Each structure stands twice: as C-alpha cells, then as structure tokens.
Amino acid sequence: MTSVVLVEDHDMVAEAIGQALERAGFTVIARASSVATALAETVRRSPDVVLLDRRLPDGDGTALIPDLVRAGAKVLVLTGEATASVAARVAEAGGAGLILKSARLDDLVEAVRRVAAGEVVFDSRLLAGVLDRLTGRVKAAGATLTAREQETLLLLADGAGTDQISTRLGVARNTARNHVQRVLDKLGARSQLEAVSIARREGLLD
C-alpha cells in the first residue's frame, strides 16, 4: 500500500481528503497541520508521498520540500491558486507536482497515485511557463530582488508608506524611497499598488 502523510491545517478539508485517499486504497499514516509537524512526521514515518498544503500557519510549505525529499518522500503540493511562478518554485525545490485545492477529490487522488508511481504532475496550462522559468528563458518577476528589497515589498503589501518603511527598516527616508523605486523597477510596476498585485500573482508574498 502507498503511504501518505497529509499536511493540511483545515480539519474539514483534511478529513475529506483523508477519507478519499483511504477509499482509494492509500494509507494515511499521519496528518500534520504545520511545517514543523509535517517534517517531524515525515522523518518519523517515512511515507511514500507527502500531500503538502502550501500555506501553513507557521510558514510556506514550499520551503519544506527539499527536506521532505531528502527524507525519501515524493511531494505533491496543494494550493489555492496556481501560477507558473509558483509551479516553478515547487519544481525547483524538488516537488513532484502541484494540484489546486478546488480540484475534484477524484482528480486529487489520481494525482497522488501518479506521483507515487514516479510521475510529475503539473497542470498542462502551467507547463510552458514552468519550463520557461526553469530553463531561464523567462526570469521570474522579483528574481533579482535583494533581501532589503524583499523586506520593502512585504511592507508595501502591508500598506506601509515611505515614512513607515523608513522607520521599520531603520533607514533614511530617501533610502526607503530608493528601495521602493527599485522594487517597482524590478517588478515592472508603475505604482506601489501594481507592484503588490504583481508580487501576489507571482507568489512572492505567500
């Protein structure tokens, strides 16, 4: 039997998925609701597949993929929205697939089955974008943001203005303004609002 660790922080969703997997002949050997418990359970239980929610209370599930793969698991990521940028991040991290939470349970079960069999499962509509990102033909928006510019972007997403960014980062107002402008330039945005919109679309704020 194929063993699965199910990582999902919403109990009702986890219950429905778990039941569907069990009916299909999988064994859900553990459930986790956070990044920390997901890693602990995977190391302890050595599942064939980890079905991993992307947004967890203590962090981005995508960041956990390399550790789960090193523990011997194949990783299928559950996400509320899928873009080529997010899919590329999953693939780069070593994930075996990406499926939307809005997918039918039958489709989700089939995706787990295919991943367990060694296949890579990405929506066909995302594959071209994933290949472009992985081969470097198209750079992901924000790929060249520095650590300080990423901090600035997060503050913009929180609605902070230049004065607040200056205070929060502990830099002069002119320096904060320069950080904001470089974020806009690198994201190809004409305004702070558009920069945040692009960042959300590209999965830079999740």
Side-chain angles (χ1 to χ4, degrees):
M1 275 193 173
T2 298
S3 58
V4 179
V5 166
L6 173 57
V7 186
E8 167 59 60
D9 63 321
H10 292 96
D11 287 341
M12 290 181 64
V13 175
E15 189 67 29
I17 293 173
Q19 288 179 1
L21 290 171
E22 294 280 359
R23 284 197 301 270
F26 296 96
T27 302
V28 179
I29 55 176
R31 275 175 48 181
S33 59
S34 68
V35 167
T37 53
L39 181 57
E41 290 291 354
T42 299
V43 170
R44 185 168 71 91
R45 306 300 296 272
S46 299
D48 298 307
V49 177
V50 175
L51 184 56
L52 177 67
D53 190 1
R54 182 168 157 244
R55 292 177 177 170
L56 294 165
D58 57 342
D60 181 353
T62 306
L64 187 61
I65 293 174
D67 291 328
L68 299 177
V69 172
R70 278 193 291 271
K74 299 180 178 73
V75 182
L76 176 62
V77 174
L78 271 172
T79 183
E81 56 180 350
T83 65
S85 177
V86 171
R89 282 167 53 197
V90 170
E92 286 172 332
L98 181 78
I99 188 165
L100 285 167
K101 283 190 173 184
S102 58
R104 295 185 310 131
L105 284 174
D106 287 349
D107 292 334
L108 191 153
V109 168
E110 180 60 21
V112 174
R113 193 185 310 281
R114 290 175 60 192
V115 165
E119 295 184 44
V120 174
V121 181
F122 288 97
D123 189 302
S124 59
R125 292 167 294 183
L126 300 175
L127 281 179
V130 170
L131 290 174
D132 283 343
R133 300 289 171 86
L134 294 181
T135 58
R137 286 198 294 266
V138 175
K139 294 292 185 186
T144 61
L145 289 179
T146 66
R148 184 45 61 93
E149 288 160 3
Q150 290 172 345
E151 290 180 78
T152 301
L153 176 60
L154 290 172
L155 290 171
L156 289 174
D158 284 340
T162 303
D163 289 337
Q164 292 170 299
I165 292 173
S166 170
T167 301
R168 297 273 289 278
L169 296 182
V171 298
R173 192 174 189 280
N174 283 344
T175 302
R177 187 185 297 116
N178 289 338
H179 287 328
V180 171
Q181 189 56 54
R182 283 196 292 271
V183 168
L184 266 60
D185 291 343
K186 289 182 178 182
L187 293 181
R190 290 165 293 185
S191 68
Q192 295 179 17
L193 184 62
E194 185 180 10
V196 172
S197 177
I198 292 171
R200 291 196 190 285
R201 187 183 70 225
E202 293 295 322
L204 301 176
L205 296 172
D206 297 325

